[in-house]
């Protein structure tokens, strides 16, 4: 079962908060690829009303 739209939005907010914290602590953006990737996936899922992938590195 996938995340609901509300869960996706909450997860996106949490990921953005972590991103901002890491930046304020002096982390380089290049070192935050795990967060930027997750933020992009959550944002896309939110905008398209889709779901997060259930497995990594899926074709397509």
């Amino acid at each position: 079962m996938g995340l609901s739209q509300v869960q996706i939005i909450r997860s996106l907010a949490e990921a953005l908060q972590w991103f901002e914290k890491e930046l304020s602590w002096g982390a380089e953006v290049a070192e935050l690829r795990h967060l930027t990737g997750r933020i992009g996936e959550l944002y896309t899922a939110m905008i398209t009303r889709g779901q997060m992938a259930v497995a990594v590195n899926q074709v397509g």
Side-chain angles (χ1 to χ4, degrees), residues 11-12 15-17 19 34-44:
S11 294
L12 178 58
L16 287 167
Q17 286 175 344
F19 185 75
H34 62 291
L35 280 173
T36 56
R38 178 57 53 134
I39 288 167
E41 294 226 3
L42 286 164
Y43 182 78
T44 301

Side-chain angles (χ1 to χ4, degrees), residues 40-58:
E41 294 226 3
L42 286 164
Y43 182 78
T44 301
M46 180 186 70
I47 293 299
T48 63
R49 294 195 179 277
Q51 291 295 315
M52 298 291 290
V54 294
V56 297
N57 298 328
Q58 292 180 336

Side-chain angles (χ1 to χ4, degrees), residues 1-8 50-55:
M1 182 172 128
L3 297 173
S4 71
Q5 193 70 8
V6 171
Q7 290 172 312
I8 289 171
Q51 291 295 315
M52 298 291 290
V54 294

